[in-house]
């Protein structure tokens, strides 16, 4: 940056796959064979071999009946939520859900309610309310002449806080109240579970989440988004998800790189890279705590250094930048006002020496952090 090398501690390329030779090679080969672009929407004539192979590979990787890739995680969220619910339905979101799912819920036309972050009692209260609401004879009929539906949406690993959703409890609640559950695994895929499918696998709720969502652009090192679930869900989306239907198919190189990434993540090397990542996460935690920062109890590659005031977060970020460390300050509207932070992330490709350089930069800060946001 500006002619000076800086160490990136804010990437979501957790497994270091974006520059892996296997992904680059797959992308280059796809360009040579299929060209730079797809030329049309998938439903017209843009569906190329890598797109079909990617959908199949995603379903096998996730252990679901079917899967569908989108041009981004954002597009997957928009297309899917709007295809599943509308006026007369109810969407219940975790307070800290990603912006793409807030936008999707709003655009869908459904009634939107928000529960306190990871708060099961609050979620249950809203589910009880929703149950009563959908029984009311005065309720607006749902658009396709079916009973009113309730959809709960949460993330498995929260993108700016690094904490995990209590998925087992949420699954029990949504089942008890007859709701659907959509889980965004953007920061869980590739990192959790025996087969590295995500937190849904790790928490053993695989068959009980109707809609699994994620991105191909983080741990998988490529670009695009996906939905995994039942055959019926995927068939519905192919015919109803507007961000899928009315958008040019992703570049074949992106799809091919994602296929290579899925293969890699599922292999022994995937497990080695995950272990390398956790080793670096643990070292970073030690160093950060050793320098006087309070870290929330997170079990992910996202370590939020909570600062509070926006200006203070910007100051610390600048000081680190001057010392060769890149960790941008995360501020409103990405997080709530007064909860600014440095979102520190580890990747499998950080060297131990780079971590020591971060430690030295933290030690040299003009003043210590003011304390955690809460
Ligand atoms: C990054 C992200 C997305 C969007 O995925 P893209 O592929 O970048 O569009 C969705 N949800 C969460 C939680 C994310 O962090």
């Amino acid at each position: 940056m500006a002619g000076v090398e800086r160490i990136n501690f804010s990437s979501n390329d957790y497994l270091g796959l974006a520059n892996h030779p296997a992904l680059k090679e797959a992308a280059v080969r796809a360009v040579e064979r299929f060209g730079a672009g797809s030329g049309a929407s998938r439903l017209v004539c843009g569906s190329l071999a890598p797109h079909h192979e990617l959908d199949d590979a995603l379903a096998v990787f996730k252990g679901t009946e079917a899967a569908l890739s989108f041009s981004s995680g954002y597009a997957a969220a928009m297309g899917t939520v709007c295809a599943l619910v509308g006026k007369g339905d109810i969407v219940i979101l975790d307070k800290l859900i990603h912006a793409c799912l807030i936008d999707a819920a709003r655009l869908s036309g459904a009634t939107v309610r928000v529960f306190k972050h990871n708060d099961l009692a609050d979620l249950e209260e809203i589910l009880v309310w929703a149950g009563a609401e959908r029984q009311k004879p005065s309720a607006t009929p749902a658009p396709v002449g079916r009973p009113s539906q309730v959809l709960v949406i949460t993330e498995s690993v929260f993108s700016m806080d690094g904490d995990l959703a209590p998925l087992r409890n949420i699954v029990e609640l949504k089942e008890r109240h007859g709701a659907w559950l959509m889980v965004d695994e953007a920061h869980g895929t590739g990192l959790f579970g025996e087969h590295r499918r995500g937190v849904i696998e790790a928490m053993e709720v695989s068959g009980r989440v109707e809609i699994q969502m994620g991105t191909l652009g983080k741990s998988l090192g490529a670009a695009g988004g996906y939905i995994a679930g039942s055959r019926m869900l995927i068939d519905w989306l192919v015919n109803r998800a507007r961000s899928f239907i009315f958008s040019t198919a992703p570049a074949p190189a992106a799809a091919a790189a994602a296929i290579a990434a899925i293969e890699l993540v599922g292999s022994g090397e995937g497990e080695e890279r995950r272990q390398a990542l956790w080793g670096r996460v643990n070292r970073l935690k030690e160093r950060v705590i050793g320098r006087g920062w309070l870290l929330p109890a997170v079990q992910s590659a996202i370590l939020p250094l909570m600062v509070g005031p926006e200006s203070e977060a910007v100051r610390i970020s600048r000081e680190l930048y001057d010392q060769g460390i890149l960790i941008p300050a995360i501020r409103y509207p990405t997080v709530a006002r007064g909860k600014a932070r440095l979102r520190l992330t580890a990747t499998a490709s950080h060297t131990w020496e780079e971590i020591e350089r971060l430690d030295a930069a933290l030690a040299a800060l003009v003043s210590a952090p003011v304390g955690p946001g809460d």
Side-chain angles (χ1 to χ4, degrees):
M1 300 175 76
V4 180
E5 254 186 40
R6 292 188 165 84
I7 306 169
N8 186 353
F9 276 105
S10 60
S11 174
N12 300 315
D13 178 21
Y14 301 119
L15 296 176
L17 295 189
N19 282 281
H20 193 287
L23 272 76
K24 293 202 273 194
E25 178 66 26
V28 168
R29 263 188 279 128
V31 168
E32 283 165 354
R33 178 136 185 243
F34 299 100
S38 303
S41 156
R42 288 200 45 189
L43 292 191
V44 178
C45 61
S47 254
L48 304 173
H51 300 120
H52 293 289
E53 282 166 27
L54 173 57
D55 293 346
D56 293 346
L58 278 164
V60 171
F61 172 50
K62 289 285 172 174
T64 54
E65 272 178 20
L68 187 65
S69 54
F70 289 73
S71 51
S72 70
Y74 192 104
M78 293 304 267
T80 301
V81 173
C82 294
L84 293 175
V85 292
K87 199 158 184 279
D89 296 318
I90 296 165
V91 175
I92 307 176
L93 304 171
D94 184 285
K95 173 89 176 122
L96 296 187
I97 197 82
H98 190 266
C100 67
L101 287 156
I102 299 174
D103 295 356
R106 284 196 187 135
L107 182 67
S108 75
T111 301
V112 180
R113 294 288 306 267
V114 174
F115 65 101
K116 289 183 201 137
H117 176 52
N118 278 348
D119 187 325
L120 295 165
D122 199 34
L123 172 58
E124 176 146 41
E125 207 169 287
I126 296 173
L127 280 166
V128 168
W129 166 84
E133 204 64 18
R134 71 206 281 202
Q135 300 302 333
K136 278 188 189 161
S138 61
T140 324
V144 286
R146 54 164 172 75
S148 163
Q149 184 59 47
V150 178
L151 171 65
V152 176
I153 310 181
T154 192
E155 266 166 62
S156 61
V157 179
F158 283 85
S159 61
M160 294 298 142
D161 291 68
D163 56 342
L164 271 53
L167 288 184
R168 276 176 161 269
N169 302 293
I170 291 176
V171 162
E172 274 161 28
L173 274 180
K174 69 93 185 170
E175 284 175 355
R176 199 170 332 130
H177 294 273
W180 286 334
L181 177 62
M182 177 169 181
V183 176
D184 182 353
E185 287 256 48
H187 301 273
T189 300
L191 306 186
F192 294 84
E194 190 191 339
H195 302 95
R196 296 167 291 284
R197 290 172 176 164
V199 180
I200 288 173
E201 182 190 20
M203 293 193 180
E204 299 173 335
V205 289
S206 297
R208 299 164 71 187
V209 176
E210 284 80 8
I211 307 127
Q212 300 189 32
M213 169 195 156
T215 174
L216 306 170
K218 287 167 183 161
S219 285
L220 295 173
Y226 68 83
I227 298 289
S230 67
R231 182 77 255 168
M232 194 193 286
L233 169 70
I234 299 306
D235 286 345
W236 181 263
L237 294 180
V238 167
N239 292 286
R240 298 286 180 134
R242 296 174 66 86
S243 63
F244 176 82
I245 299 168
F246 300 106
S247 186
T248 300
I259 297 168
I262 291 166
E263 218 166 88
L264 236 153
V265 165
S267 72
E269 187 180 342
E271 180 56 27
E272 279 163 29
R273 285 187 171 251
R274 171 163 73 172
Q275 292 309 328
L277 171 67
W278 293 136
R280 282 148 181 82
V281 167
N282 291 336
R283 178 73 60 86
L284 273 175
K285 277 184 179 167
E286 275 170 33
R287 294 294 184 264
V288 162
I289 292 166
R291 294 296 168 195
W293 294 77
L294 296 174
L295 267 185
V298 295
Q299 308 157 259
S300 67
I302 303 164
L303 305 175
L305 307 185
M306 304 305 270
V307 176
E310 283 73 16
S311 57
E312 190 63 5
V314 170
R315 177 189 68 77
I316 295 172
S317 172
R318 280 219 187 103
E319 273 189 47
L320 292 173
Y321 183 83
D322 290 339
Q323 298 183 59
I325 304 287
L326 177 68
I327 314 178
I330 305 286
R331 289 159 283 165
Y332 178 82
T334 306
V335 294
R337 279 201 175 85
K339 293 208 172 169
R341 66 200 65 179
L342 274 67
R343 179 180 175 278
L344 167 65
T345 58
T347 77
S349 43
H350 280 121
T351 64
W352 302 116
E353 191 262 328
E354 285 167 341
I355 291 174
E356 296 317 316
R357 278 189 56 192
L358 171 67
D359 181 57
L362 287 175
L365 286 176
V366 167
S367 65
V370 285
D374 289 324

